[in-house]
Amino acid sequence: MRLTIEGARVIDPASQFDQITDLHIAAGHIVGIGEAPEGFSANQRIDARGLIASPGLVDLNVSLREPGRTRKGTIDSETRAAAAGGVTSLCSLPDTLPVLDTPAVAELILDRAEQAGQVRVFPFGALTRGLDGEHLSELVALRDVGCVAFTQGLASMKSNRILRRALEYAAGFDLPVVFMPQDPDIAEGGSAHEGATAARMGLVGIPETAETVALARDLLLVEQTGVQAHFSGLTSARAMDMLADAQARGLRVSADVAMYQLLLCDEDLEGFSSLLHVQPPLRSKQDRHALRQAVQSGVVQAIASHHQPHEQEAKRVPFAASAPGISSVEILLPLALTLVADGLLELPALLSRLTCGPAAALNLPAGSISLHGRADITLFDPVAASLIGHNWLSKGANCPFIGKGAPCKVTHTISNGKLVYQA
Amino acid sequence: MSTPSSHLQLNFQGQLRHFLTIEGLSRELLTELLDTADSFLEVGERAVKKVPLLRGKTVCNVFFENSTRTRTTFELAAKRLSADVLNLNIQTSSTSKGETLYDTLRNLEAMAADMFVVRHGDSGAAHFIAGHVCPDVAIINAGDGNHAHPTQAMLDMLTIRRHRGDFTKLSVAIVGDILHSRVARSNMQALQTLGCPDIRVIAPRTLLPAGIDQYGVRVFNDLRVGLRDVDVVIMLRLQKERMQSGLLPSEGEYYRLYGLTRETLALAKPDALVMHPGPINRGVEIESEVADGAQSVILNQVTYGIAVRMAVMSMAMTGQNAQRQHNQEILLAEQARKSGQETPACD
């Protein structure tokens, strides 16, 4: 397909390009910026005057649920939802059934993603077999079939000794490791941030130290082993300080935060809506402020959706008994644009946190608009308000933002040169 | 202050339609509830202990957690209001066969029950039922997780009011496992709403919730300091599992530091009331002689509990009925408006 996008404001944070121009696409690649190449004739044109053309978003934390949990979501449904959110590349978590700890499971996921034909999937492999925290997965074999990083998610390691060995092994092959720090012993049984709100509501609290104790250990082991580390879904102000300090000391550490953590806080739990039950929990207003500041300063270079789709029954129970997570990939860009509306970030800076920032964190070949580069492009109208939930595509409707307004609207998503979403 | 809880609990006229938590309810409403309970105390002294306020209504006691005392007093309260009462033993019900709470409640709702008295191990369970499952059935929270036990709080308030009168001149101490106590939370809220100027919580730090200092209460780790000159002492039950989970070293040390004995009670005002929601652990949180002593009103609490539950049930049923009628009128008006629009105008 040969496609021309006419008259968009093209913003590429990676190259700091920001100009109203045309983009010409053929065979999955950008073949012209501005002038069309000689002999190019488009068979489809998009009138994009008034729209922004951004690199397709790169989302570092998505649960696709397939294989094994297809009541909650499938690769087809969730990659379609991602495309609707402006995402063209996503990293999938290994928390499938079976766990992604063998090349066969990775291949299955990649095959189904290709069949779905929506967006690019970069799977994370399980750091240990079955996420048991004890036996290392075949990390190199998993890398060879396409796993871009390795993680335990929120599952714990059997011991600090085994974690150290796993990091040493990964570092030996320069494999990035993704940490979601939470000390399970300190967090045990908790469902909300430990603070005044949880105390009043009688919810068992997860203290900030559940995150920071684990983060401190992880940072020390990262320093010792020299592994490339990415911290995903950090929630606390103290963690932001620790991260900034580690970066200042020259450690190879990057981080993302969940988009919803930048908008919500523990006070929103009043009323016990199970839609707001997430892990790690929504923290305090002060923590939220610190996360926003860290995103603004660049200490946190990526904003991810932390998309966790669930079937209705998983949330149709009292708060603590509900499955944690928000279905959010579909609204990543509309929610993120509220940060521009709030004056926290200029639009190019925000887009860098959603495109080249996350791509750089895990060395992914994505997140930029460049001549001869892959044509992954998101078009959005920055001033057209949209109603969240209209034409919802994710299989999980567990989203507290449904019914609310968003300050922008994704109009088109182009993945590998193909129009995969049009509003 | 308007809170999500008050939106859910009150009908369009501000009357109670569910009773889920004390939080968000006004002093006027709590006082009305206490006044109503006061008037019901006399029913228990009659030869025929019944009034017809809930005649023809069906009350379901749905207890997902074991409780003999609370369930019995709710049952007695409902029967004294002439309701038909159904006690559901959830241990042997469909939920143990895998049915969800949602489906269990929907089934009961379909049997045309008018009121559910619910006890559940999860904080917020009563809110979940009132908000998502059975909004048209009056829900009375008989204890949800660590969150709330509002009828217990109101019977404690009735006990205090009948023995001490005005809340605005009292010092009240709540002693023990505040962290895991729904009674403590509801009592703190009720005392605050009713104007009690000095609410003290006394516990080791491991049994205090984070952020308790933001609740308008004074926090003491030392029982002997905290009890000084208080008018009321509310003791809480201590569970042995607190020792096993590393919150306390031993029962013996707890009793030595936080047990209410004749010696420690002497630090309070000479006529201070001794209260306990029960069941009591003699020799763990309270000395036997104190539990049975002249200052103890523990058994009065049980008696007042029936009257308070009668008051809550009758008020919630009135509020729920009014809301239903209001909703019906709105629906009919809407239908009439629509049919009026659809009818072609006559020439």
Side-chain angles (χ1 to χ4, degrees):
Chain A
M1 188 172 82
R2 293 181 306 282
L3 173 67
T4 291
I5 299 168
E6 293 176 328
R9 177 184 167 194
V10 179
I11 302 177
D12 178 43
S15 61
Q16 298 186 333
F17 183 89
D18 187 346
Q19 201 174 298
I20 293 174
T21 188
D22 298 341
L23 295 172
H24 309 281
I25 294 161
H29 288 77
I30 296 169
V31 294
I33 299 175
E35 288 292 308
E38 206 175 306
F40 179 89
S41 81
N43 49 18
Q44 187 174 357
R45 289 176 175 275
I46 297 172
D47 179 359
R49 282 170 292 186
L51 303 183
I52 309 276
S54 147
L57 272 50
V58 180
D59 189 343
L60 295 184
N61 197 309
V62 172
S63 276
L64 289 175
R65 303 303 195 195
E66 191 178 355
R69 300 183 198 271
T70 50
R71 283 179 71 205
K72 295 177 186 290
T74 63
I75 289 170
D76 186 69
S77 67
E78 303 318 296
T79 55
R80 278 180 201 283
V87 173
T88 57
S89 299
L90 63 85
C91 293
S92 65
L93 296 182
D95 60 346
T96 48
L97 273 178
V99 166
L100 197 177
D101 59 2
T102 61
V105 180
E107 281 170 351
L108 181 144
I109 289 168
L110 289 166
D111 285 349
R112 298 229 169 131
E114 196 174 330
Q115 282 164 20
Q118 298 293 305
V119 305
R120 229 177 347 170
V121 172
F122 294 104
F124 289 165
L127 193 59
T128 58
R129 277 185 253 156
L131 296 170
D132 69 357
E134 195 169 6
H135 304 95
L136 276 188
S137 304
E138 293 179 348
L139 305 186
V140 175
L142 288 167
R143 177 201 64 189
D144 290 346
V145 292
C147 289
V148 295
F150 298 89
T151 186
Q152 277 292 105
L154 286 172
S156 60
M157 294 297 277
K158 202 82 171 177
S159 73
N160 292 338
R161 174 178 54 83
I162 293 170
L163 176 59
R164 181 217 157 165
R165 296 294 183 217
L167 300 186
E168 271 181 338
Y169 187 81
F173 298 97
D174 207 20
L175 305 174
V177 173
V178 175
F179 295 85
M180 297 180 204
Q182 189 177 73
D183 183 310
D185 201 38
I186 297 179
E188 192 184 12
S191 60
H193 169 62
E194 185 178 279
T197 300
R200 195 171 63 253
M201 296 174 73
L203 295 172
V204 179
I206 300 176
E208 170 204 287
T209 49
E211 177 167 288
T212 50
V213 165
L215 176 61
R217 175 200 62 180
D218 294 344
L219 285 170
L220 289 169
L221 290 173
V222 165
E223 189 163 16
Q224 182 183 3
T225 60
V227 74
Q228 184 189 345
H230 178 76
F231 290 90
S232 189
L234 294 174
T235 60
S236 65
R238 183 81 184 105
M240 296 300 102
D241 292 341
M242 293 164 75
L243 184 67
D245 179 59
Q247 288 171 344
R249 284 189 291 122
L251 296 193
R252 283 205 297 168
V253 291
S254 56
D256 71 65
V257 293
M259 183 58 231
Y260 55 74
Q261 289 278 6
L262 300 173
L263 300 179
L264 302 168
C265 70
D266 64 339
E267 292 172 24
D268 293 306
L269 301 184
E270 299 287 355
F272 291 102
S273 170
S274 59
L275 294 177
L276 295 167
H277 181 198
V278 292
Q279 284 280 7
L282 298 174
R283 296 274 176 206
S284 68
K285 258 185 188 163
Q286 293 75 19
D287 289 312
R288 181 179 62 184
H289 177 72
L291 296 191
R292 290 166 73 103
Q293 295 302 306
V295 167
Q296 187 183 47
S297 70
V299 166
V300 166
Q301 55 269 63
I303 301 170
S305 69
H306 288 250
H307 175 69
Q308 297 274 339
H310 285 295
E311 75 281 22
Q312 191 181 32
E313 289 71 29
K315 289 288 191 183
R316 210 161 56 181
V317 286
F319 184 90
S322 65
I326 290 176
S327 175
S328 52
V329 72
E330 197 157 349
I331 48 173
L332 179 58
L333 186 58
L335 289 186
L337 262 286
T338 61
L339 302 180
V340 175
D342 291 349
L344 186 75
L345 289 165
E346 297 290 330
L347 185 55
L350 174 76
L351 292 176
S352 82
R353 308 294 187 271
L354 295 165
T355 58
C356 57
L362 289 176
N363 324 311
L364 303 177
S368 67
I369 291 175
S370 60
L371 192 59
H372 309 305
R374 185 178 153 111
D376 286 345
I377 296 163
T378 297
L379 287 171
F380 63 96
D381 187 331
V383 291
S386 59
L387 182 67
I388 293 172
H390 182 63
N391 292 331
W392 193 252
L393 294 173
S394 169
K395 221 169 165 183
N398 50 303
C399 177
F401 299 101
I402 285 179
K404 299 195 168 138
C408 84
K409 184 176 178 180
V410 176
T411 59
H412 305 78
T413 304
I414 294 139
S415 175
N416 199 23
K418 176 182 150 196
L419 186 62
V420 290
Y421 174 77
Q422 184 166 4
Chain B
M1 186 180 69
S2 180
T3 66
S5 295
S6 61
H7 288 312
L8 196 55
Q9 294 193 101
L10 304 179
N11 73 6
F12 70 108
Q13 292 172 315
Q15 296 169 310
L16 203 63
R17 64 188 279 236
H18 303 293
F19 194 47
L20 312 174
T21 172
I22 302 291
E23 203 178 2
L25 300 182
S26 66
R27 186 188 295 200
E28 292 70 29
L29 199 147
L30 296 192
T31 304
E32 182 192 349
L33 207 156
L34 291 176
D35 292 344
T36 310
D38 245 335
S39 71
F40 281 133
L41 274 174
E42 164 271 329
V43 176
E45 292 160 10
R46 292 186 196 171
V48 178
K49 300 177 175 61
K50 268 193 189 294
V51 289
L53 288 170
L54 295 192
R55 183 180 289 160
K57 301 289 185 186
T58 304
V59 174
C60 286
N61 282 329
V62 194
F63 276 55
F64 294 86
E65 266 188 357
N66 286 330
S67 157
T68 305
R69 186 184 323 221
T70 305
R71 191 189 56 71
T72 307
T73 54
F74 267 111
E75 182 176 354
L76 210 50
K79 285 180 171 168
R80 286 188 182 173
L81 292 168
S82 306
D84 297 318
V85 183
L86 195 62
N87 288 311
L88 286 152
N89 184 354
I90 293 302
Q91 308 304 320
T92 57
S93 80
S94 316
T95 48
S96 58
K97 298 173 190 163
E99 187 172 75
T100 64
L101 171 64
Y102 178 85
D103 287 324
T104 302
L105 271 298
R106 291 282 290 167
N107 274 287
L108 292 172
E109 189 183 22
M111 293 175 203
D114 299 286
M115 178 178 289
F116 292 142
V117 177
V118 184
R119 169 166 286 195
H120 199 281
D122 286 328
S123 299
H127 277 73
F128 169 74
I129 295 163
H132 299 94
V133 188
C134 312
D136 298 329
V137 177
I139 307 296
I140 311 296
N141 185 4
D144 61 332
N146 297 336
H147 172 232
H149 197 347
T151 59
Q152 176 70 43
M154 291 314 293
L155 77 86
D156 288 347
M157 296 308 110
L158 185 63
T159 308
I160 294 170
R161 194 174 81 163
R162 288 186 67 85
H163 288 87
R164 285 291 174 274
D166 190 1
F167 287 94
T168 63
K169 296 183 175 66
L170 295 180
S171 287
V172 179
I174 305 172
V175 184
D177 186 357
I178 312 291
L179 178 65
H180 300 96
S181 176
R182 50 198 174 205
V183 176
R185 284 176 177 79
S186 291
N187 270 337
M188 286 189 277
Q189 289 160 358
L191 286 165
Q192 262 185 342
T193 306
L194 291 167
C196 178
D198 183 20
I199 307 165
R200 308 180 192 182
V201 293
I202 306 170
R205 285 185 63 177
T206 49
L207 297 182
L208 286 167
I212 184 92
D213 48 336
Q214 295 172 35
Y215 284 42
V217 297
R218 290 205 286 158
V219 180
F220 295 86
N221 297 133
D222 186 334
L223 178 76
R224 282 157 179 81
V225 177
L227 281 188
R228 207 155 283 158
D229 298 326
V230 296
D231 299 280
V232 179
V233 187
I234 301 175
M235 298 302 293
L236 301 173
R237 189 163 67 92
L238 187 73
Q239 289 168 298
K240 283 194 177 165
E241 69 190 49
R242 306 298 171 231
M243 265 66 82
Q244 282 144 15
S245 52
L247 294 167
L248 294 170
S250 70
E251 269 182 18
E253 177 145 313
Y254 180 79
Y255 186 60
R256 195 160 55 79
L257 294 174
Y258 295 97
L260 189 67
T261 62
R262 279 166 295 183
E263 180 214 338
T264 49
L265 180 59
L267 296 163
K269 284 190 179 159
D271 59 348
L273 298 180
V274 173
M275 297 171 61
H276 194 301
I280 58 174
N281 291 317
R282 292 169 187 262
V284 177
E285 68 257 357
I286 191 164
E287 189 179 32
S288 211
E289 286 76 2
V290 173
D292 299 331
Q295 288 168 252
S296 168
V297 290
I298 294 171
L299 291 177
N300 301 60
Q301 288 175 265
V302 179
T303 306
Y304 298 154
I306 298 166
V308 160
R309 283 158 184 150
M310 288 171 74
V312 168
M313 286 175 163
S314 59
M315 285 170 66
M317 190 58 77
T318 303
Q320 186 66 259
N321 285 342
Q323 184 68 45
R324 276 189 204 168
Q325 196 177 340
H326 180 67
N327 293 347
Q328 189 65 25
E329 283 166 6
I330 290 175
L331 193 69
L332 289 172
E334 183 66 14
Q335 283 170 350
R337 192 184 63 78
K338 277 187 181 163
S339 63
Q341 279 176 349
E342 284 161 13
T343 307
C346 297
D347 293 327

